[in-house]
Amino acid sequence: MSEADDRSEARARMVRTQIEARGVSEPRVLDAMRTVPRHRFVAEGYEGRAYDDSPLPIAAGQTISQPYIVAVMSEAAGIQPHEVVLEIGTGSGYQAAVLARLARHVYSIEVVKELADVATTRLAELGFDNVTVRHGDGYAGWPEHAPFDAIVVTAAPPEVPDALKDQLAVGGRLVVPVGEYEQDLRLIRRTPEGYDETTMMGVRFVPMVKPR
Ligand SMILES: C[S@@+](CC[C@H](N)C(=O)[O-])C[C@H]1O[C@@H](n2cnc3c(N)ncnc32)[C@H](O)[C@@H]1O
């Protein structure tokens, strides 16, 4: 791919002006954001806006999050190269791809089958061989692969789901937007005694739905 085709300049600018400028500084996160081709994850026709400072539509009425928010959540998750991560809300697969650059393995759950299928194919085509996507309900987590060193939730539940807290390793971090319309982005750490919780910032995510 030529420099122009792979849009690395647009990504470098995105990282400089949208992400570093707002205080994200973890080098591995910045590197992942400079590397993952966001234009391959947006809906057809939106490739030219892939490095804009905004969320964008994907199929099934869902969205791919704003790049800055992806970077903030990835940094907050504090992921080391040997760690295993769970993502809830695969969507386009973009956040999973960023996490895959940071972790040993990423498990990701998506409630809309069409999105899970498209993301699986896309991630494989792009060579992300350390991501496993499953169609299912994120409220239950993925007990077969627990405990997780980090859990990143990219849809908003009204309360922190207990199953996700239970599936955190001791020392593990859960990053989750909590609330109905506007949400608090919370960082929850599991300690040997229990959980430490901090609120990071206000955010707006689509709701985490409860499938019947
Ligand atoms: C803001 S989008 C996620 C963006 C995605 N991480 C990306 O990088 O493109 C939220 C996603 O969460 C999914 N979702 C909502 N409720 C869910 C649930 N209970 N379990 C799993 N996924 C869910 C939605 O279908 C949607 O794809």
Side-chain angles (χ1 to χ4, degrees):
M1 245 189 253
S2 74
E3 183 80 351
D5 288 342
D6 94 344
R7 306 187 202 204
S8 57
E9 275 179 28
R11 277 196 296 283
R13 195 175 327 113
M14 169 189 85
V15 168
R16 218 172 38 247
T17 61
Q18 301 170 29
I19 297 174
E20 283 187 285
R22 292 186 179 121
V24 175
S25 62
E26 163 55 43
R28 295 179 68 241
V29 171
L30 299 177
D31 189 52
M33 299 296 299
R34 272 188 215 104
T35 313
V36 177
R38 192 170 191 265
H39 63 280
R40 299 289 301 273
F41 292 84
V42 300
E44 224 179 297
Y46 284 89
E47 294 87 347
R49 293 177 54 190
Y51 299 102
D52 287 4
D53 192 12
S54 63
L56 289 173
I58 57 173
Q62 294 298 330
T63 53
I64 174 172
S65 308
Q66 180 189 14
Y68 167 62
I69 294 295
V70 173
V72 163
M73 294 177 83
S74 301
E75 183 175 62
I79 299 161
Q80 300 299 312
H82 62 276
E83 291 188 332
V84 176
V85 177
L86 175 67
E87 181 199 24
I88 306 299
T90 317
S92 68
Y94 176 69
Q95 171 88 70
V98 170
L99 296 171
R101 300 276 306 173
L102 302 171
R104 177 161 62 81
H105 200 93
V106 177
Y107 294 93
S108 184
I109 304 175
E110 170 54 55
V111 77
V112 178
K113 184 166 188 319
E114 175 196 356
L115 292 177
D117 290 347
V118 170
T120 300
T121 305
R122 178 181 287 141
L123 288 162
E125 276 171 10
L126 292 171
F128 289 94
D129 55 8
N130 62 336
V131 184
T132 310
V133 176
R134 167 162 87 73
H135 167 229
D137 176 17
Y139 277 100
W142 200 328
E144 295 82 355
H145 296 291
F148 298 100
D149 300 298
I151 301 178
V152 175
V153 184
T154 66
E159 309 282 345
V160 181
D162 283 340
L164 300 184
K165 286 172 78 172
D166 290 346
Q167 289 175 32
L168 266 188
V170 172
R173 293 80 53 198
L174 168 60
V175 184
V176 54
V178 184
E180 302 255 346
Y181 299 104
E182 293 184 355
Q183 304 106 27
D184 289 335
L185 186 61
R186 298 204 199 152
L187 171 61
I188 298 168
R189 283 171 192 280
R190 188 164 196 173
T191 66
E193 295 78 34
Y195 298 89
D196 280 347
E197 193 168 317
T198 54
T199 296
M200 298 176 59
M201 60 197 283
V203 287
R204 284 192 89 159
F205 276 84
V206 295
M208 186 164 160
V209 298
K210 280 202 196 328
R212 282 177 239 192

